[in-house]
Amino acid sequence: GAVVSQHPSWVICKSGTSVKIECRSLDFQATTMFWYRQFPKQSLMLMATSNEGSKATYEQGVEKDKFLINHASLTLSTLTVTSAHPEDSSFYICSVGGFGTSGGLETQYFGPGTRLLVL
Amino acid sequence: GESVGLHLPTLSVQEGDNSIINCAYSNSASDYFIWYKQESGKGPQFIIDIRSNMDKRQGQRVTVLLNKTVKHLSLQIAATQPGDSAVYFCAENLNSGGYQKVTFGIGTKLQVIP
């Protein structure tokens, strides 16, 4: 599989500030990374697909101007939550595509997540 | 399929017993399925996968069964251990013109009783 890290693991910020979350693929060059958010006791909701060297593809209902994604290299994607508000408090998780045990690159390997709390 | 719920289904199992976690998926065209385990405060961890041309796949203590007729996926864990306590998600993958679309189920919380 792929090894994925995220930084920071925890962030607390004031309402109105911007927060940047980094996602790194440590052992795999990822042309595509994925960003999810997860509210307590709920499933993962795909926010956007991050494409290296091009614009991210956002899911319906996700504001691209609020959740800025930059995928400048094959190992790093960043998610910036701009003008954060308390309702943005959530668990943000990134993933990269990699080989599963059945072959193919459809398997996603996840980072440890970043918990954001907006006061 | 993709669902958002306020309350995760919970399965309580005695340590040493076998666990069966079920998942209904939504798209009959999905061609690849994955089970993930998510411990509290962590990202999902890959457990096992299966392609649509198979109906059973076994790993270490885990077995995935796929019934395409009723769009049903299950994860069987043998000799459940306390460390298996987590939330388990199934995911279905659809390959559409080279674009991968992954959809997660709502998850099932497994509680192992020592």
Side-chain angles (χ1 to χ4, degrees), chain A residues 38 43 59 101 103 107-108, chain B residues 32 36 49 51 57 101 105:
Chain A
Q38 185 180 34
S43 189
E59 294 299 300
T101 56
T107 304
Q108 291 187 25
Chain B
Y32 178 61
Y36 289 96
D49 55 0
R51 291 203 172 278
R57 196 143 188 271
K101 176 70 174 179

Side-chain angles (χ1 to χ4, degrees), chain A residues 41-97:
Chain A
K41 297 185 179 180
Q42 294 189 20
S43 189
L44 286 79
M45 299 296 292
L46 179 65
M47 299 175 66
T49 302
S50 169
N51 304 299
E52 189 267 337
S54 64
K55 292 183 179 180
T57 304
Y58 290 81
E59 294 299 300
Q60 190 173 8
V62 178
E63 300 175 56
K64 62 180 181 180
D65 294 330
K66 180 166 183 63
F67 299 99
L68 301 178
I69 291 174
N70 184 282
H71 193 156
S73 76
L74 290 172
T75 60
L76 174 65
S77 175
T78 60
L79 168 68
T80 301
V81 183
T82 62
S83 187
H85 291 284
E87 57 265 31
D88 298 323
S89 299
S90 188
F91 192 49
Y92 292 87
I93 314 172
C94 69
S95 70
V96 306

